[in-house]
C-alpha cells in the first residue's frame, strides 16, 4: 500500500506531540490547529482531538460531504465536541474512558482528607511559625453522595468507602446499586460530602445551584471534578460566604483558566485547583497508547470501545 492509500489521521493540537510512532507505515498522521481544522476535516478518516480544551470541532464539522468516520477525544467529557452537525452524522465518537478513573478518585480522597484534617490551615500556620492546636474531623461513619455513576464515580465511591465513608452513587436512572436523579435531593440533605463528577448535558447543566446548596447540611463540603458548568458558581460563592455549607473544592470551572479577577479566588472556604485532578505523571503517554490500541481495532474492522451516545453525551452503561 502506497503512502497515499494509507488512512489519514488528523490530530488537533500538538503541544506536546502525542507518541504515535506505532502508526508509522499504517497511517498518514497530520497535525492541525483550530484555524486549519475545517479545511482539513473532509480529507481525514480519523480525527484525534489531542487538545481536549478546544471547542473548534463544534464549528468546523462539515454539514455534508466527506468527513472523518471516527473521532476520538483524549478526555472523559465530550461536550466540547458535540455540535448539532456531528451529533447528526454517522461518525463514531469515542472518549478516553478508563484513563482518569483512579487518578481522579485519589485526588478526591486527597481533597476530602485535606479538608477534614484542616491541612491548608496547618500549612499556613507553619508558614507563620504559629503553634495552634485544633481538633479535626473523623471520616469514619461519614456519608458521601457521588453524583455521576460512570467509571470515575465508581472509583471515587470505592476509594471513599476505603476511608470508612458510606457512599451513595447517583446516576441518570435508578438501577442495582445506583440511585436515580429522583433520589438526589434527600441524599444531598444527609451527606457530609457531595462529589460532582456527572457528564455535562442539558439535564445536568447548572444542577448545583442555590436550591441544591440550600438542601445541604451546614457541615457539608462540596467537591466538583466533573465539568465546571455543572455548578452555578455565584450560588456556590454565596453558599460559602453565608455558611450554608462548610467548604468546597473546585478543580473545574465555567471559564478556564480561571481569570485572575474572578471573585472565586477570594471566596472563603473554597479550595481551587487548575483542572488537574486526573493528570498524573505519564498521563499523556497513557492517552496516546490508548488511542493506538483503539486504532488497531478500527484498522481491523473490530468494534471500538468507549463509544459515546451522541444524543445523551456520554458512554452509556457499565
Amino acid at each position: 500500500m502506497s503512502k497515499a492509500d494509507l488512512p489519514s489521521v488528523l490530530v488537533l493540537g500538538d503541544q506536546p506531540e502525542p507518541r504515535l510512532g506505532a502508526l508509522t507505515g499504517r497511517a498518514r498522521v497530520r497535525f492541525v490547529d483550530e484555524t486549519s481544522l475545517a479545511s482539513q476535516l473532509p480529507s481525514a478518516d480519523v480525527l484525534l482531538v489531542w487538545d481536549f480544551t478546544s471547542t473548534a470541532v463544534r464549528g468546523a464539522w462539515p454539514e455534508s460531504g466527506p468527513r472523518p468516520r471516527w473521532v476520538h477525544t483524549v478526555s472523559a467529557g465530550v461536550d466540547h465536541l458535540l455540535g448539532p452537525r456531528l451529533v447528526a452524522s454517522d461518525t463514531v465518537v469515542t472518549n478516553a474512558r478508563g484513563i482518569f478513573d483512579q487518578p481522579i478518585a485519589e485526588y478526591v480522597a486527597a481533597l476530602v482528607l485535606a479538608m477534614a484534617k484542616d491541612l491548608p490551615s496547618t500549612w499556613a500556620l507553619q508558614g507563620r511559625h504559629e503553634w495552634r492546636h485544633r481538633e479535626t474531623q473523623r471520616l469514619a461513619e461519614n456519608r458521601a453522595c457521588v453524583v455521576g455513576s460512570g467509571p470515575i464515580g465508581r472509583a471515587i465511591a470505592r476509594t471513599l468507602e476505603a476511608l470508612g465513608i458510606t457512599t451513595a452513587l447517583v446516576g441518570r436512572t435508578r438501577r442495582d446499586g445506583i440511585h436515580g436523579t429522583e433520589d438526589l435531593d434527600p441524599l444531598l440533605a444527609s451527606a457530609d460530602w457531595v462529589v460532582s463528577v456527572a457528564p455535562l448535558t442539558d439535564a445536568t447543566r447548572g444542577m448545583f445551584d442555590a436550591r441544591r446548596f440550600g438542601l445541604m447540611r451546614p457541615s457539608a463540603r462540596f467537591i466538583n471534578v466533573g465539568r465546571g458548568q455543572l455548578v452555578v458558581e455565584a450560588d456556590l460563592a454565596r453558599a460559602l460566604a453565608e455558611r450554608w455549607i462548610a467548604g468546597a473544592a473546585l478543580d473545574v470551572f465555567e471559564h478556564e483558566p480561571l481569570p485572575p479577577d474572578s471573585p472565586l479566588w477570594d471566596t472563603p472556604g473554597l479550595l481551587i485547583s487548575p483542572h488537574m485532578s486526573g493528570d498524573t505523571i505519564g498521563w499523556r503517554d497513557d492517552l496516546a497508547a490508548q488511542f493506538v490500541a483503539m486504532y488497531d481495532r478500527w484498522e481491523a474492522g473490530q468494534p471500538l470501545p468507549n463509544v459515546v451516545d451522541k444524543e445523551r453525551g456520554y458512554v452509556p452503561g457499565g
Side-chain angles (χ1 to χ4, degrees):
M1 182 182 295
S2 68
K3 185 175 181 179
D5 294 327
L6 294 175
S8 172
V9 175
L10 202 63
V11 182
L12 175 60
D14 62 354
Q15 298 298 326
E17 186 174 307
R19 296 177 182 268
L20 301 178
L23 300 185
T24 302
R26 302 167 54 196
R28 291 178 291 121
V29 178
R30 296 178 291 144
F31 292 88
V32 294
D33 58 21
E34 293 184 341
T35 61
S36 57
L37 177 63
S39 64
Q40 297 296 318
L41 280 173
S43 61
D45 298 295
V46 179
L47 172 64
L48 169 59
V49 183
W50 187 248
D51 179 3
F52 54 84
T53 67
S54 174
T55 60
V57 175
R58 295 176 65 94
W61 194 260
E63 188 166 358
S64 60
R67 52 199 160 196
R69 292 172 282 159
W70 168 33
V71 174
H72 177 73
T73 178
V74 293
S75 58
V78 295
D79 52 279
H80 59 298
L81 299 178
L82 296 182
R85 293 192 295 272
L86 176 53
V87 170
S89 74
D90 58 359
T91 296
V92 174
V93 175
T94 58
N95 73 352
R97 182 173 172 141
I99 297 294
F100 301 109
D101 305 357
Q102 192 57 34
I104 292 178
E106 293 171 2
Y107 198 88
V108 168
L111 291 172
V112 168
L113 286 165
M115 288 190 281
K117 303 307 178 183
D118 198 24
L119 295 184
S121 294
T122 297
W123 205 330
L125 290 166
Q126 179 181 338
R128 299 198 298 266
H129 298 191
E130 183 176 344
W131 181 281
R132 187 192 303 171
H133 181 268
R134 288 109 60 222
E135 295 177 347
T136 63
Q137 181 179 349
R138 182 180 178 182
L139 291 176
E141 301 179 3
N142 274 203
R143 293 181 180 181
C145 174
V146 177
V147 184
S149 60
I152 296 175
R154 295 197 300 273
I156 291 170
R158 289 193 301 270
T159 304
L160 294 182
E161 287 172 351
L163 296 174
I165 301 173
T166 300
T167 305
L169 271 170
V170 178
R172 181 171 176 265
T173 56
R174 185 185 293 168
R175 54 196 187 276
D176 187 29
I178 307 292
H179 295 271
T181 53
E182 65 272 23
D183 302 319
L184 178 57
D185 287 359
L187 287 170
L188 293 179
S190 63
D192 300 289
W193 304 90
V194 177
V195 182
S196 165
V197 69
L200 180 61
T201 67
D202 289 341
T204 62
R205 188 181 302 273
M207 68 184 300
F208 290 102
D209 56 7
R211 187 186 73 82
R212 288 241 161 86
F213 290 124
L215 292 173
M216 296 180 196
R217 302 167 65 179
S219 59
R221 293 182 176 91
F222 174 78
I223 297 170
N224 187 20
V225 290
R227 305 296 284 175
Q229 295 85 348
L230 299 173
V231 177
V232 180
E233 293 174 348
D235 290 357
L236 174 60
R238 180 186 175 194
L240 289 167
E242 299 185 9
R243 300 293 294 173
W244 298 358
I245 60 176
L250 297 180
D251 184 57
V252 288
F253 300 87
E254 184 174 3
H255 302 289
E256 297 182 6
L258 187 66
D261 59 352
S262 169
L264 290 176
W265 290 107
D266 300 309
T267 298
L270 178 60
L271 181 61
I272 288 174
S273 58
H275 203 152
M276 57 184 283
S277 61
D279 302 347
T280 54
I281 296 169
W283 65 289
R284 290 184 176 88
D285 289 344
D286 293 339
L287 290 169
Q290 181 188 51
F291 174 73
V292 169
M294 294 174 78
Y295 186 88
D296 292 344
R297 296 181 62 88
W298 180 82
E299 185 180 45
Q302 299 173 352
L304 289 169
N306 299 1
V307 174
V308 172
D309 183 321
K310 293 184 289 184
E311 294 290 343
R312 294 184 183 182
Y314 54 88
V315 178

